[in-house]
Amino acid sequence: MIDLKSMNPEEIGAVLAQWGEPAYRGKQIFSWLSRGARSFGDMSDLPKTLRSRLEEECTLSPPRMARRQISRIDGTAKYLWELSDGNCVESVLMRYRHGNSVCVSTQAGCRMGCAFCASTISGRVRDLTPGEILDQVIYTGLDSAVPVSHIVLMGIGEPLDNLDAVLKFLELVSHPWGLNIGMRHISLSTCGLIPGIRRLGELGMQFTLSVSLHAPDSETRSRLMPVNRRYDVEDLFRACHDYFRKTGRRISFEYALIDGVNDHDWQADRIADRLRGMPGHVNLIPLNEVRESPLRPSRRMEAFQKRLERRGVAATVRRKLGSDIDASCGQLRRREAERSEHSCGFGESQT
Ligand code: SAH
């Protein structure tokens, strides 16, 4: 079966050209797909014979909404989507004054193993296709009935561990014939896979790169993030400086403050020292408590922020949205896996 959802208009056109169809069909089908058409039969401006051939040879399996939670406090909506093979992933719609942002997943599960994160507890099941990442934006927007203006790749999975699919997704979602979301309205977050960061630097794309830092010293970071044993934080800082030199884009650093682990003054000073010469921005996040983990939120948010700012590093405390619904990445998928009604890609033994 052909996966047209993961193709740009030219690629769709090339498939149809082999069937003797005119090139403009690529644009027609691409724009139907971007608007969330649920079947080829719906594509009313295509000839009937073409629609039936598409139905026979191409997949078009929109995700099924397995769960939805909407925050009564701020309208944040969290979706659990069931993919065609039964795997589940999460997306979140966040409403801001500057627009509506969708947070998407890039993998079913994650193999990075961060100690504080719910998404990684059962490992990675598989990569998502570009079309499956795109579908989360399309159907979250359609269900919420609001225009989506911003995207963050901060859901389940490590985007740079599925980089080819993510790059294709970025191309599709920013295409003027599709959702047309500008690169400057997109953020991509990574736990620090240095080869991926270097590749993105070469491409010089205009989205915002977020790096999940969480500790500026090798010892603490290796404890929290096993990826640090492969790609050490000192090398990561160097890769970030190179990235800034190449792209001119300011990097944002995610930092979840954890009580007694990464919230010491000397760690704030180390961050300031390593970011010298680069206009970075540190996003301080209150740790979301994950039931399976002993880590607790820090009580030093403000002190840490002040310490960074005094040393010339821009630092903000992230506003917490959707605190009344299963908040952080992977928690909804996990809860759902624990209920027996869905297996969501987890084996029987883990439900
Ligand atoms: N794999 C990517 C993107 C997914 S996670 C990455 O690591 O950046 C999105 C962000 O949420 C990351 O910064 C991650 O470290 C953070 N995060 C995960 N679990 C969290 C928790 N329990 N509390 C606070 N932040 C968390």
Side-chain angles (χ1 to χ4, degrees), residues 153-169:
L153 289 97
M154 288 194 186
I156 296 170
E158 165 51 44
L160 303 191
D161 191 34
N162 185 19
L163 185 49
D164 290 330
V166 163
L167 288 174
K168 192 78 204 176
F169 158 74

Side-chain angles (χ1 to χ4, degrees), residues 116-117 154-155 157-159 189-191 212 214 254 256 287-288 290 328:
F116 44 79
C117 183
M154 288 194 186
E158 165 51 44
S189 180
T190 176
C191 64
S212 297
H214 302 311
E254 310 292 304
L287 180 78
N288 270 309
V290 172
S328 75

Side-chain angles (χ1 to χ4, degrees), residues 23-302:
Y24 63 83
R25 296 270 184 247
K27 177 179 182 178
Q28 276 178 310
I29 295 175
F30 182 77
S31 99
W32 275 112
L33 294 173
S34 299
R35 279 178 277 143
R38 293 190 161 266
S39 80
F40 292 109
D42 290 348
M43 302 183 178
S44 50
D45 54 358
L46 303 182
K48 269 220 162 94
T49 46
L50 176 57
R51 284 188 248 163
S52 16
R53 181 153 185 196
L54 286 165
E55 255 156 25
E56 274 160 36
E57 299 193 31
C58 304
T59 51
L60 204 178
S61 31
R64 190 185 72 81
M65 194 198 299
R67 260 188 106 72
R68 179 182 59 192
Q69 296 181 330
I70 300 178
S71 163
R72 287 199 199 124
I73 302 170
D74 50 41
T76 299
K78 183 145 191 168
Y79 293 87
L80 187 73
W81 299 110
E82 185 180 334
L83 309 174
S84 53
D85 65 351
N87 272 298
C88 289
V89 292
E90 290 171 34
S91 322
V92 184
L93 176 93
M94 293 159 291
R95 296 158 188 265
Y96 296 103
R97 248 160 300 170
H98 63 261
N100 300 302
S101 180
V102 176
C103 173
V104 295
S105 298
T106 54
Q107 296 177 313
C110 183
R111 57 175 171 176
M112 296 298 130
C114 300
F116 44 79
C117 183
S119 303
T120 198
I121 294 174
S122 297
R124 183 194 64 159
V125 183
R126 71 167 171 87
D127 288 337
L128 300 193
T129 64
E132 286 172 330
I133 307 173
L134 184 64
D135 272 346
Q136 296 172 58
V137 182
I138 296 171
Y139 292 106
T140 297
L142 283 176
D143 183 75
S144 315
V146 294
V148 176
S149 54
H150 292 69
I151 295 173
V152 294
L153 289 97
M154 288 194 186
I156 296 170
E158 165 51 44
L160 303 191
D161 191 34
N162 185 19
L163 185 49
D164 290 330
V166 163
L167 288 174
K168 192 78 204 176
F169 158 74
L170 292 174
E171 180 196 338
L172 302 179
V173 82
S174 60
H175 199 291
W177 296 344
L179 294 181
N180 196 17
I181 297 176
M183 283 293 172
R184 285 175 180 255
H185 285 186
I186 300 177
S187 298
L188 181 155
S189 180
T190 176
C191 64
L193 299 183
I194 292 176
I197 295 175
R198 295 212 178 275
R199 194 169 151 203
L200 291 177
E202 297 297 332
L203 293 171
M205 293 167 84
Q206 292 299 297
F207 59 75
T208 300
L209 181 67
S210 285
V211 171
S212 297
L213 183 60
H214 302 311
D217 57 293
S218 301
E219 197 194 323
T220 313
R221 196 164 190 272
S222 289
R223 243 179 83 200
L224 294 173
M225 305 176 72
V227 68
N228 193 74
R229 291 174 213 150
R230 180 121 184 254
Y231 300 113
D232 185 78
V233 66
E234 296 293 348
D235 298 325
L236 178 59
F237 281 124
R238 271 190 285 278
C240 289
H241 279 272
D242 292 344
Y243 182 90
F244 172 70
R245 267 195 296 275
K246 284 222 161 74
T247 62
R249 303 282 296 159
R250 184 172 88 152
I251 297 177
S252 120
F253 293 90
E254 310 292 304
Y255 203 95
L257 278 168
I258 305 169
D259 189 36
V261 175
N262 64 0
D263 61 351
H264 303 288
D265 282 343
W266 69 266
Q267 286 162 318
D269 297 347
R270 178 80 67 91
I271 296 173
D273 185 50
R274 296 299 189 268
L275 295 192
R276 201 159 293 140
M278 175 175 63
H281 176 268
V282 179
N283 231 328
L284 298 171
I285 315 168
L287 180 78
N288 270 309
E289 287 190 65
V290 172
R291 209 195 311 147
E292 292 85 345
S293 152
L295 303 171
R296 296 294 159 243
S298 167
R299 288 155 291 184
R300 301 197 67 243
M301 296 282 291
E302 259 178 48

